[in-house]
Amino acid sequence: MKIDIGAIAFLVSMVPFTTAFLPSIQQPNQLSSLSKAPHNSFSLAPLRAADDDDEEEEEKKENPYADPNYPDLEFVNYDDPEYQVDQGVGDEFFDPESTEAQIEAMREERRMKNDEFQFETYYKDVLRNGAEFKGEWTVFQTSTFLPETNGEAEFPKLKKLGEPFKVYSKGERIEVEGDGEAEKFRLENQRVLHTERLFVASSSDDSAAPAVSDDIKAVQEEIVNTQYAPNEMKSGDFRGQQGNMCVGNGFTVATATSLKDGEPAGEGPYGEYRTELGVQKDDLRFRVKLEYAVRKVEKESMELPPLHLKTMTLCREAEGMWPRAENYKSAIESLTDIVFFGSAGANGGLYDPPPVGSEEQAGQYMLLDLEGGASLLVPYKMDQDPMVHGDMGWVTSFDWSPGPIRFQVDRKINGGSGILGLRTLELSEVQAADADTYRPKDG
């Protein structure tokens, strides 16, 4: 005789007491719902007492994916609308001991280890473990901020401010006082302090500083004393949003002040923005310092005024010796004449020109050929309004060959009011003699 299961299930739902006669029907869902349904004058207690073991088996849903080798694995039905915890629906399910919190803690631990790696690498390779660098600095000012331009924004001209001047540069590693609690990580109280000072001629030094006017000297001192990196730089400053990073032989640092109050700020819009990027190789280092500021007329008339390039400083430096010293004491000293002051411009221009956005945005860049076989691509105007160029962001590229290896470092930052944030710092390396053969084609 053929039994219609659907018909029996219907009868079950209509006549509660008939469940006693249907123990062998394989419909656990209907039976389970029935046992929880409201009853009239009928009592199922005797039946439940007699069939406790059967009901316990029926209440366990069969797992079609069960592995007999792991019988204790839990079966989770992700289609169940009541199941929300793992889906992250609502903060009420967040538990400090949950898997999500543990995963985030592991991510933060990895970030702190990367912070430590960046901090240690920057101090060891870029600052050469606190060694003193001697350098020739050359400062250029854009016509955008010169008095005779009346503050008119246009494609700027660069004016050289006097002759190159000599500067001592050094990065010290210091220990600051903690908060009295146990250190959470190894470098919590470690800081890097950058110090730079003008060279003053003395009888014990074999180099002489050329005489300059008081006005030029004042500009030089202002440039030397202006911060381009966070004060007392800590390992946490090497995360992308702060704009500091090093990769291989390339490095960059940055700092900015708020448009509203002129105080150091992590979020824009900014009134001033300063950054430097460079390449170091053995005892030689070439840095480019870029200073941006908001024009007064635009600050008064715009909610998000653009930043304009104000000054550019080229720092050609060598560890423990002056570039192009009169009396060479080593082979690398004689090399500084070529790698710092040789013919202008990288061979063939930038090795790998980066994307610069639309034609309009590309018009806000300038490409400069620098002495020493170097080339620099730099935006002279960066909009802080996110509606102007969207999410394209900005890039500064520096190409230099301090020897047989040619380096190009690309500093790519966010657009809009997030200009301080660093998207990536990319470094290209190629044998200088083979650069044209292996030049990238896709930008």
Side-chain angles (χ1 to χ4, degrees):
M1 176 179 178
K2 185 176 181 181
I3 300 177
D4 189 339
I5 301 298
I8 293 176
F10 176 77
L11 292 174
V12 170
S13 65
M14 296 296 294
V15 187
F17 64 86
T18 58
T19 55
F21 302 100
L22 302 171
S24 61
I25 302 299
Q26 299 301 313
Q27 294 287 330
N29 291 336
Q30 284 85 346
L31 293 179
S32 177
S33 63
L34 177 61
S35 65
K36 298 176 183 177
H39 307 296
N40 295 326
S41 59
F42 300 99
S43 174
L44 298 181
L47 175 64
R48 294 171 64 89
D51 297 334
D52 276 347
D53 293 339
D54 291 341
E55 287 196 2
E56 286 180 5
E57 292 297 326
E58 292 170 351
E59 288 176 357
K60 294 180 180 179
K61 292 186 178 182
E62 181 181 358
N63 179 4
Y65 307 105
D67 189 332
N69 296 318
Y70 303 94
D72 296 331
L73 287 180
E74 180 185 5
F75 172 62
V76 179
N77 181 9
Y78 289 94
D79 293 328
D80 185 354
E82 298 298 325
Y83 181 76
Q84 298 179 349
V85 177
D86 272 2
Q87 297 173 349
V89 181
D91 294 336
E92 65 274 15
F93 296 105
F94 184 80
D95 181 356
E97 303 299 325
S98 69
T99 302
E100 291 86 349
Q102 294 173 7
I103 291 175
E104 179 56 30
M106 288 189 291
R107 288 173 178 163
E108 179 62 19
E109 183 180 3
R110 287 197 298 268
R111 285 192 286 262
M112 288 196 302
K113 288 183 177 179
N114 183 67
D115 296 341
E116 291 185 1
F117 172 79
Q118 287 279 312
F119 183 91
E120 297 282 16
T121 303
Y122 180 74
Y123 183 72
K124 174 179 175 290
D125 294 343
V126 179
L127 302 180
R128 305 283 285 185
N129 291 314
E132 185 176 69
F133 280 79
K134 299 179 179 180
E136 284 196 14
W137 288 20
T138 307
V139 180
F140 297 86
Q141 185 174 8
T142 63
S143 57
T144 306
F145 292 90
L146 293 178
E148 56 266 27
T149 62
N150 297 319
E152 295 180 2
E154 56 183 9
F155 190 90
K157 298 178 182 179
L158 293 175
K159 179 181 179 181
K160 186 176 178 181
L161 295 181
E163 294 301 315
F165 56 96
K166 295 183 177 181
V167 179
Y168 295 103
S169 299
K170 187 176 182 180
E172 299 179 80
R173 189 167 180 168
I174 62 174
E175 184 90 14
V176 298
E177 186 176 352
D179 55 9
E181 299 181 0
E183 293 185 8
K184 298 178 182 178
F185 57 97
R186 184 172 61 87
L187 299 179
E188 183 174 0
N189 298 326
Q190 295 282 316
R191 300 290 187 272
V192 164
L193 183 64
H194 299 86
T195 57
E196 295 172 331
R197 58 189 175 87
L198 276 173
F199 164 75
V200 178
S202 66
S203 57
S204 61
D205 202 298
D206 59 356
S207 299
V212 296
S213 66
D214 291 340
D215 291 340
I216 294 296
K217 187 175 181 180
V219 172
Q220 292 175 352
E221 290 179 344
E222 181 181 357
I223 292 293
V224 169
N225 295 326
T226 299
Q227 287 189 341
Y228 284 75
N231 187 31
E232 294 191 357
M233 200 172 191
K234 59 184 182 295
S235 61
D237 289 329
F238 283 92
R239 298 197 179 183
Q241 59 267 33
Q242 281 88 0
N244 310 302
M245 190 176 292
C246 52
V247 54
N249 297 77
F251 60 92
T252 186
V253 295
T255 187
T257 60
S258 171
L259 177 66
K260 294 182 179 180
D261 55 21
E263 294 297 319
E267 298 182 356
Y270 305 106
E272 293 182 348
Y273 169 77
R274 295 181 292 274
T275 183
E276 72 175 49
L277 76 162
V279 171
Q280 59 81 24
K281 176 63 175 173
D282 299 327
D283 294 336
L284 305 179
R285 189 172 69 186
F286 199 150
R287 293 185 290 158
V288 179
K289 292 175 175 280
L290 302 170
E291 179 186 14
Y292 290 85
V294 169
R295 294 168 58 233
K296 182 179 179 180
V297 64
E298 291 176 331
K299 181 179 180 180
E300 295 173 348
S301 61
M302 301 173 66
E303 182 179 357
L304 296 172
L307 289 161
H308 296 268
L309 182 63
K310 184 177 182 180
T311 64
M312 177 182 72
T313 305
L314 307 180
C315 309
R316 299 173 170 93
E317 302 166 317
E319 181 182 343
M321 56 189 171
W322 295 110
R324 58 179 174 187
E326 293 181 3
N327 300 314
Y328 297 132
K329 299 178 182 179
S330 66
I332 198 166
E333 280 186 308
S334 63
L335 184 65
T336 61
D337 264 347
I338 302 173
V339 299
F340 284 146
F341 307 102
S343 59
N347 186 24
L350 287 178
Y351 171 68
D352 184 11
V356 291
S358 65
E359 183 176 351
E360 178 184 359
Q361 187 173 3
Q364 296 176 207
Y365 282 83
M366 58 171 62
L367 180 62
L368 306 173
D369 290 330
L370 311 177
E371 287 183 338
S375 289
L376 177 69
L377 176 70
V378 56
Y380 66 83
K381 174 185 175 183
M382 295 191 294
D383 296 280
Q384 297 193 83
D385 187 343
M387 302 303 294
V388 177
H389 297 297
D391 297 329
M392 183 60 202
W394 304 92
V395 59
T396 303
S397 297
F398 178 58
D399 185 329
W400 181 49
S401 302
I405 303 297
R406 180 171 174 175
F407 299 96
Q408 178 178 317
V409 58
D410 299 314
R411 185 179 195 277
K412 298 180 179 179
I413 60 175
N414 296 321
S417 58
I419 281 177
L420 182 62
L422 185 65
R423 286 183 174 178
T424 62
L425 182 68
E426 301 170 5
L427 180 71
S428 302
E429 297 183 29
V430 64
Q431 289 283 341
D434 299 331
D436 287 337
T437 304
Y438 300 106
R439 190 178 294 273
K441 304 296 184 183
D442 55 353

